[in-house]
Amino acid sequence: MPEHGSVPSLASTLQQQLTNALTAALPDAGAADPLLRRSDRADFQANGILALAKKLKGNPRELAAQVTAALPAGGLIKDIEVSGPGFLNITLSDRAIVETLAARAADAEGRLGVPLKAEAGTTVIDYAQPNVAKEMHVGHLRSAVIGDAMVKIMEFTGERVVRRHHIGDWGTQFGMLIQYLIEHPGALKHEGGASDGEAAMSTLNRVYKESRVLFDSDEEFKARSRDRVVALQAGDPETLELWQGFVDESKIYFHSVFDKLDMEIADADIVGESGYNDMLEETCRILEETGVAVRSEGALCVFFDDVKGPDGNKVPLIVKKTNGGYGYAATDLSAIRNRVRDLKADTLVYVVDVRQSLHFKMVFETARRAGWLNEDVKAVQLAFGTVLGKDGKPFKTREGVTVRLEDLLDEAVDRATAVVRDKAGKVGLSEEEIVENGRYVGIGAVKYADLSTSAVRDYKFDLDQMVALHGDTSVYLQYAYARIRSILRKAGDAVPAAHPELALAPAERALGLHLDQFGEVLSEVAQGYEPHKLAAYLYQLASHLTTFYDQCQVLSPDNAPEVVENRLFLVELTARTLHRGMALLGIRTPERL
C-alpha cells in the first residue's frame, strides 16, 4: 500500500490510465487532459477527445477508438462506449470498486486511505473573536463553527495549523471599566465559582452597564476614564492589573460557551488586540518610511484608487489617528507581521463577517505593498453572511436585542433532547444517554445548519427545521450512523468482509462509488475553504445509504453468507466515513439513538 496508507481514488486511477492511453494513441497531442467527470449515463464520462481532435484536425470518434484500444484490458474498466462526437462513457468493474474500498477499510492509520498533502504549509486561522466584557451573540457562532471545522479539515489533510483567537481586549472602553472598578472595589466579585461562566458574564454585564451610565452622565468620571486609557496604554502597573481582571473573568465565560459548543479553545491560542501593542509604533514607522502610508490631516493613512466614498473622494485606511491613537488597521497589520515573521505562516485565513470585507481588502493590500504578503505568503478572508430569523431579517429577540449565544444553544439542546426522548424507548436509552445525546444532537444541529450553507450566504436560524429527522439535517445523518451501528450489533456471527468476486446491485455500486470520493472532497474543501461541500457530501452519503437499505436487505436469511458479509462491509465503511466526516465538522455521532 502507498505511503501513509493512502489509497488512490478510482477517479484518479482512471484519470491516469486515460492520460497514458491518450499519450500512447496521440503522441503529438502533448499534455492531454481527458476531462473526466461523473456521469449519469455510466460511472464516468471523458470529454477531452473532442478538443484534441479539433487541435489535431482529426475525426473525434476515430481518435476515441484509438484511445479505447490503448487502455489496459480487464481490471479497473468493465465497459467503454463511444458516444456522440467522441465522448467516452466508462463503467468500472465491480471488483475494482470493492477492492479499492477494501484497501480504504484496511488503512491501519484510520484515515480511510485519504492521502496527506505532498507539501504541507503553515496556515494561521483567525476565528472565534469574542470581545472582553461583552456577551457572545449569534454572530460569533458562525466564526467559531466555520473556523473550528476548517482547522480540523486542514489538519486532517496534513496542513500545519496555528489557531488564533483575536479577542477584543483593548481600547477606550477599558478606561471606563477600570476607572469604575477603582471607584467601586469588589464590583467584579460574584457568587459562582471560578468556572461559572454565567455568573462571570452576569457580573461583567452589570459592571459594563453601570459604568456606561456613569460615563454618559458624569463629565468628571468621563475625564477620569479617558486619563485611565492613557495610563493603560502607557503600561501603568495598577491599571494593567485591573485590566487583566476583566480579561480573566471574560475567559471564564468564553470557555463556558465554547464548552457548550463542544469546542476546544486553548488559552495559548487567545492572542487579542493587546498582544500586538508593542509592535504598533514600529508598524506605523515602517509604513510611513516606505511611503506605503502618508500623513493626511494629521492622520497616518493608506489610500487606494478603487476605494471611494459617496462623494467620489478616496476613503483611506487609517493606521494612526490624528490624536495619536491607533486604528484597528495598525493592530491587524501588526498581527500579519507577527504571523508571517514569527509563526512562519505561508497562508493567513480570517473567518470574519462579510461586512468587514472592505476593511480586510485594504489591510491585505497594505500588507502586500509593505512586502509582508507576497507570492509565497497569501491572506484570505473566509467571509460569512448574517444569521437571519425565520422572518428573513437579522436574528433578534422580540425586543429587538441581539440574541445571546448561550440562550440559543440551550434552546437547541432542549429541542433536541425532546426529539431524542421521543424515540428513546425503542432503543432503551437511559436518562443519562438521553441527556448526553440530546446535547450532541442539539449542538450538532446548530453547527450543521451553519456549515451546510455556503459561508458567504446568509441563512435562517430555524430550530424546528434544524432538529427535523428528515431532510438535510445533522439529525438525519446521526440517525443514519446509529442505524448502521444497530445493524452491526444485530449481525450476530456475521462479520463485515469484502468479497470482490460478487456482482454489485445498482444501489451498492452507487454507495461504493460515493464512499470512494471522500478524500477528493476533503482536498477540495481544504483548498477552497468550503466546509459546506463536506456537509453536502455526507448528506448525499446518507441518502445513498437510505436507497441501499430500501433495495438491498443486509441481514436477510435469504442472502448467501458472502452477500451478508459484503453488505455489512459496505455499511460499516459508510459508518466510519460518516463518523470521520461529521467529526471533521465538529459534530458527534452517538452509537445509539
Side-chain angles (χ1 to χ4, degrees), residues 86-98:
F87 296 152
L88 297 181
N89 290 327
I90 302 163
T91 302
L92 304 185
S93 71
D94 292 351
R95 175 176 288 276
I97 294 171
V98 176

Side-chain angles (χ1 to χ4, degrees), residues 341-361:
R341 182 188 67 191
D342 302 330
L343 302 179
K344 310 297 182 200
D346 40 52
T347 306
L348 308 177
V349 177
Y350 293 78
V351 188
V352 184
D353 192 315
V354 70
R355 288 170 291 192
Q356 294 188 48
S357 292
L358 180 59
H359 169 77
F360 279 99
K361 176 188 172 186

Side-chain angles (χ1 to χ4, degrees), residues 295-404:
R295 292 280 170 183
S296 176
E297 298 176 22
L300 188 62
C301 304
V302 183
F303 288 92
F304 310 86
D305 290 337
D306 59 343
V307 182
K308 294 177 182 175
D311 56 2
N313 293 328
K314 291 179 184 177
V315 176
L317 181 70
I318 299 173
V319 185
K320 196 171 187 181
K321 301 171 190 173
T322 309
N323 64 3
Y326 298 101
Y328 285 122
T331 304
D332 288 332
L333 288 162
S334 297
I336 288 175
R337 287 178 58 215
N338 166 261
R339 292 165 184 186
V340 173
R341 182 188 67 191
D342 302 330
L343 302 179
K344 310 297 182 200
D346 40 52
T347 306
L348 308 177
V349 177
Y350 293 78
V351 188
V352 184
D353 192 315
V354 70
R355 288 170 291 192
Q356 294 188 48
S357 292
L358 180 59
H359 169 77
F360 279 99
K361 176 188 172 186
M362 294 160 82
V363 166
F364 296 163
E365 176 56 29
T366 300
R368 271 189 287 273
R369 291 180 189 178
W372 303 326
L373 297 176
N374 50 48
E375 286 182 8
D376 300 320
V377 186
K378 66 172 181 174
V380 181
Q381 183 192 356
L382 203 178
F384 58 82
T386 306
V387 180
L388 307 174
K390 287 186 187 181
D391 58 2
K393 296 176 182 175
F395 200 36
K396 300 277 177 75
T397 64
R398 285 180 185 171
E399 294 75 38
V401 180
T402 304
V403 178
R404 294 172 72 235

Side-chain angles (χ1 to χ4, degrees), residues 4 24 49 60 81 94 99 140 230 258 290 366 379 383 409 421 454 468 480 492 503 519 552:
H4 301 303
I49 290 170
E81 174 204 21
D94 292 351
E99 285 179 346
H140 294 114
V230 175
F258 290 125
T290 55
T366 300
L409 299 177
R421 191 180 298 282
S454 173
C552 306

Side-chain angles (χ1 to χ4, degrees), residues 41-212:
R41 299 191 173 195
D43 294 334
F44 292 93
Q45 188 174 71
N47 298 339
I49 290 170
L50 183 60
L52 275 174
K54 286 181 180 175
K55 181 180 170 185
L56 300 172
K57 297 183 169 56
N59 181 312
R61 287 186 68 89
E62 286 178 12
L63 289 180
Q66 285 177 266
V67 171
T68 302
L71 283 165
L76 179 65
I77 299 171
K78 176 186 176 184
D79 183 52
I80 299 184
E81 174 204 21
V82 179
S83 76
F87 296 152
L88 297 181
N89 290 327
I90 302 163
T91 302
L92 304 185
S93 71
D94 292 351
R95 175 176 288 276
I97 294 171
V98 176
E99 285 179 346
T100 299
L101 295 181
R104 294 200 178 287
D107 179 2
E109 296 182 23
R111 295 180 52 81
L112 304 171
V114 176
L116 292 164
K117 286 171 70 171
E119 292 181 27
T122 298
T123 294
V124 173
I125 182 160
D126 188 324
Y127 68 106
Q129 306 106 346
N131 293 308
V132 165
K134 289 185 181 176
E135 281 188 300
M136 291 175 71
H137 55 77
V138 73
H140 294 114
L141 175 70
R142 296 212 73 183
S143 179
V145 169
I146 294 167
D148 186 59
M150 282 313 309
V151 166
K152 289 180 165 72
I153 292 163
M154 287 158 66
E155 284 185 333
F156 187 73
T157 60
E159 183 77 353
R160 291 185 293 274
V161 180
V162 180
R163 301 157 173 80
R164 276 293 174 267
H165 310 298
H166 189 87
I167 63 171
D169 65 351
W170 205 246
T172 52
Q173 77 271 24
F174 285 98
M176 174 186 83
L177 290 166
I178 294 164
Q179 190 59 37
Y180 183 84
L181 204 55
I182 287 171
E183 297 176 19
H184 300 81
L188 275 184
K189 288 179 182 169
H190 55 79
E191 290 289 317
S195 61
D196 189 335
E198 283 277 4
M201 194 62 246
S202 173
T203 304
L204 287 166
N205 248 347
R206 178 177 48 75
V207 171
Y208 190 90
K209 285 174 182 171
E210 288 172 3
S211 62
R212 171 56 70 181

